[in-house]
Amino acid sequence: MSPEALGVDGNVGKKKLAKLQAKAEKRAQREYELAEREERKKREAEQERREEERRRAEDEAEKAAELKAKLEREERERREHEEYLKMKEQFEIGEEGFDQLEEEESENLMRDFVNYVQKTKVVYMDELAKQFKLRTEDALNRLNFFVENGTLSGVFDDRGKFIYITEEEMHAVAKFITQRGRVSVTQLADYSNKLINLEPAA
């Protein structure tokens, strides 16, 4: 660093000049370190701000997901309750063979209806109606109701019988179709007879 840059004339001694130069370098180093420290603080503050924003965004996303799940659960429970009330109502119609039933009796009757179909496996509508003191049309309506809401699964044949098929039997038929690829209706019928038990449960 020249004497002029240090603010002294050219006649200053070498020793003095060296001292002034060292002092100036120290000051410059301090200023540099100070500026570097300030810059680091700014970077850290910016990083902290971004981190805080990220945390806040994650919290908001989590709360939104929780709220969505809660609303979906409430909606599902509401639908299930409505289906239950509708089903219960179907079993409480006095003029179709049942007096007004208490809630527990109504639930037992619904359970008995489902159990009867599951155990019988091949259900004739007139026998189902007779079993539960219903008109054939009402027995069919109630059976359809249980099929639609997923309580029972099965198929109606061309003669109006209902064949109850368990979930395991359905999976077995689906697996057969997947493994074979293309399957004719005859093959499917033959194989389904082997997979689906049509005998009433003991």
Side-chain angles (χ1 to χ4, degrees):
M1 197 176 280
S2 68
E4 291 79 11
L6 293 168
V8 294
D9 59 34
N11 299 324
V12 72
K14 278 186 182 177
K15 233 179 184 183
K16 176 100 169 162
L17 183 62
K19 260 188 185 178
L20 290 169
Q21 280 178 332
K23 208 173 182 180
E25 281 170 9
K26 265 189 183 176
R27 188 168 58 250
Q29 181 65 24
R30 270 199 312 273
E31 286 171 359
Y32 170 77
E33 285 173 359
L34 189 64
E36 183 65 24
R37 201 157 43 238
E38 287 298 316
E39 188 59 35
R40 191 166 59 248
K41 273 186 190 171
K42 278 184 191 170
R43 282 198 304 270
E44 285 171 358
E46 178 63 18
Q47 192 175 343
E48 205 171 303
R49 184 186 65 78
R50 283 183 188 158
E51 188 64 25
E52 181 60 31
E53 278 181 3
R54 185 186 64 76
R55 275 198 302 268
R56 197 179 299 122
E58 280 180 0
D59 285 348
E60 284 172 6
E62 196 176 321
K63 280 177 189 167
E66 282 173 4
L67 179 63
K68 187 183 175 195
K70 184 187 172 194
L71 292 172
E72 284 174 354
R73 189 173 62 252
E74 286 174 355
E75 176 62 19
R76 188 173 63 249
E77 285 170 0
R78 185 189 63 76
R79 278 199 313 269
E80 284 171 1
H81 185 64
E82 281 179 3
E83 282 180 9
Y84 165 76
L85 290 177
K86 213 187 295 178
M87 187 164 45
K88 194 175 129 193
E89 189 182 307
Q90 289 228 343
F91 279 88
E92 289 182 343
I93 300 169
E95 69 264 23
E96 292 179 354
F98 295 117
D99 294 328
Q100 287 296 318
L101 301 165
E102 294 299 327
E103 188 168 336
E104 194 178 332
E105 288 178 302
S106 178
E107 284 177 9
N108 289 341
L109 194 53
M110 287 188 283
R111 191 171 56 248
D112 291 347
F113 190 93
V114 170
N115 287 342
Y116 176 82
V117 173
Q118 289 174 334
K119 284 180 181 174
T120 308
K121 286 292 278 184
V122 179
V123 181
Y124 293 86
M125 290 306 109
D126 53 347
E127 287 179 10
L128 182 65
K130 189 177 171 186
Q131 178 74 18
F132 290 93
K133 301 184 179 74
L134 296 167
R135 291 180 306 181
T136 305
E137 186 186 343
D138 296 323
L140 178 60
N141 287 342
R142 289 175 190 187
L143 182 55
N144 276 322
F145 180 82
F146 285 117
V147 171
E148 282 165 18
N149 75 7
T151 305
L152 290 170
S153 53
V155 291
F156 288 92
D157 73 0
D158 53 2
R159 294 177 190 165
K161 292 194 305 279
F162 178 77
I163 301 166
Y164 170 67
I165 303 173
T166 67
E167 212 168 303
E168 291 78 16
E169 290 168 341
M170 280 193 177
H171 285 313
V173 173
K175 189 177 175 186
F176 166 73
I177 294 167
T178 307
Q179 285 173 343
R180 290 288 179 95
R182 294 177 68 174
V183 179
S184 72
V185 174
T186 310
Q187 286 175 314
L188 182 59
D190 289 344
Y191 202 77
S192 294
N193 287 336
K194 292 173 191 169
L195 290 175
I196 298 169
N197 176 23
L198 301 179
E199 293 300 315

